[in-house]
Amino acid sequence: MATTNDLKNGMVLKIDNQLWSVVEFQHVKPGKGPAFVRTKIKNVLSGKTIDKTFNAGVKVETATVDRRDMTYLYQDGDDYVFMDAATYDQILVTGDTVGDLKNYMVENQSAIVSMYEGSVLYIELPPTVELTISYTEPGLQGDRSNAGTKPATLETGYEIQVPLFLDEGARIKVDTRTGEYAGRVNA
């Protein structure tokens, strides 16, 4: 248990048997009336964001979310196998939990796996990952009909738009938050 005075960004609260992460908070002391805390909280499982106001000093139930550094090993059917970097324990994470992050995961990649009471809540990848272009058409010199980009298939099977000068086998950085090309990896 904690009070609303202890709230911090990233803290996980248990409200109505659901887990909510504090995105932002603000202590407000109006000229009239009691102080209160205005928060923006995000549902850990669904990603839904809501605004919630608490009276100052009210006790709120916190949840201890265990964030572990893990390594993605391989895909096993619809599940993904991760290994704890410290204990070498392996866990299965469902495809629903991994979601669209599968487009950026390659074997032996590091990730943060967040768990609560033994069940996996979500996976976090670094902001950018390095991937190899497995297929793309050759870019034509002077072709600017599509703003200087062309489709490219990455080693994970995900397709993104890349600049015309990139060829098959090139290593690029991909932003895991937006799914867009973020730059070329210099060898």
Side-chain angles (χ1 to χ4, degrees), residues 64-130:
T64 305
V65 175
D66 186 18
R67 294 170 45 120
R68 297 184 188 176
D69 289 326
M70 295 199 172
T71 303
Y72 167 61
L73 296 179
Y74 58 92
Q75 185 174 355
D76 182 17
D78 290 337
D79 297 331
Y80 296 82
V81 179
F82 287 82
M83 179 181 67
D84 190 316
T87 64
Y88 301 110
D89 291 336
Q90 293 184 8
I91 62 166
L92 279 176
V93 179
T94 64
D96 291 339
T97 303
V98 172
D100 289 339
L101 293 180
K102 70 177 182 256
N103 297 327
Y104 317 112
M105 293 186 347
V106 291
E107 293 178 359
N108 298 318
Q109 182 176 28
S110 62
I112 295 175
V113 178
S114 297
M115 302 173 74
Y116 176 71
E117 294 181 350
S119 62
V120 177
L121 297 175
Y122 55 90
I123 308 292
E124 294 176 56
L125 291 179
T128 60
V129 293
E130 295 181 5

Side-chain angles (χ1 to χ4, degrees), residues 24 38 55 83 101 116 155 166 180:
E24 59 185 58
R38 185 179 296 136
N55 290 330
M83 179 181 67
L101 293 180
Y116 176 71
E155 61 187 299
L166 291 172
E180 296 175 355

Side-chain angles (χ1 to χ4, degrees), residues 40-51:
K40 183 176 282 189
I41 54 178
K42 178 180 176 182
N43 189 304
V44 171
L45 296 176
S46 70
K48 178 182 175 185
T49 303
I50 63 169
D51 295 320

Side-chain angles (χ1 to χ4, degrees), residues 2-71:
T3 66
T4 54
N5 299 332
D6 301 327
L7 291 181
K8 293 180 175 55
N9 289 345
M11 181 182 272
V12 178
L13 307 176
K14 192 172 185 181
I15 302 170
D16 299 330
N17 286 330
Q18 292 186 338
L19 298 179
W20 297 85
S21 176
V22 176
V23 177
E24 59 185 58
F25 67 97
Q26 178 183 16
H27 292 276
V28 179
K29 295 180 184 173
K32 276 186 169 178
F36 59 92
V37 179
R38 185 179 296 136
T39 62
K40 183 176 282 189
I41 54 178
K42 178 180 176 182
N43 189 304
V44 171
L45 296 176
S46 70
K48 178 182 175 185
T49 303
I50 63 169
D51 295 320
K52 186 157 178 73
T53 303
F54 298 97
N55 290 330
V58 171
K59 290 189 182 289
V60 289
E61 188 175 355
T62 59
T64 305
V65 175
D66 186 18
R67 294 170 45 120
R68 297 184 188 176
D69 289 326
M70 295 199 172
T71 303

Side-chain angles (χ1 to χ4, degrees), residues 116-171:
Y116 176 71
E117 294 181 350
S119 62
V120 177
L121 297 175
Y122 55 90
I123 308 292
E124 294 176 56
L125 291 179
T128 60
V129 293
E130 295 181 5
L131 297 171
T132 304
I133 296 175
S134 62
Y135 175 77
T136 187
E137 296 287 333
L140 298 174
Q141 188 65 28
D143 179 15
R144 297 288 180 257
S145 61
N146 54 1
T149 62
K150 62 182 178 180
T153 305
L154 303 175
E155 61 187 299
T156 60
Y158 186 60
E159 188 174 289
I160 66 170
Q161 292 292 318
V162 299
L164 291 173
F165 60 83
L166 291 172
D167 296 319
E168 286 182 21
R171 297 279 295 165

